[in-house]
Amino acid sequence: GVWNLSSEQGNLGTFFITNVRVVWHANLAQNFNVSIPYMQMQDVRVRSSRFGPALVVETSAGSGGYVLGFRIDPEEKLTETIQ
């Protein structure tokens, strides 16, 4: 699973990468989800967090200027994802 790090404890969910967007949705809460079109992404990188290495997606100012963190386990999968 992939943890969304937007809250104090993180939320476990499912992460999809398609040809047009990145999608994450919580496994236990239907109304907690994230969908980011590639056209709105400003930066994607790996950064350290208090939860360990995390995939960080920053959106453009015009789309809200959000900074979203995702913990992908195992770490090898994170390395695969960022490539």
Side-chain angles (χ1 to χ4, degrees):
V2 176
W3 295 86
N4 180 317
L5 305 178
S6 65
S7 63
E8 289 292 316
Q9 76 278 1
N11 287 289
L12 185 59
T14 304
F15 193 75
F16 299 96
I17 299 174
T18 74
N19 61 336
V20 294
R21 69 182 58 239
V22 169
V23 177
W24 175 90
H25 67 85
N27 291 344
L28 299 176
Q30 278 187 338
N31 61 342
F32 191 32
N33 59 73
V34 176
S35 178
I36 310 164
Y38 289 128
M39 297 294 290
Q40 293 181 358
M41 290 182 197
Q42 182 174 337
D43 190 27
V44 178
R45 66 183 181 278
V46 174
R47 242 172 43 187
S48 59
S49 73
R50 66 183 189 171
F51 299 99
L55 177 69
V56 175
V57 178
E58 292 185 45
T59 66
S60 63
S63 63
Y66 296 103
V67 178
L68 304 165
F70 301 94
R71 164 110 189 218
I72 301 174
D73 290 324
E75 199 169 324
E76 296 81 36
K77 198 71 165 169
L78 173 62
T79 304
E80 269 181 44
T81 302
I82 198 68
Q83 295 175 352

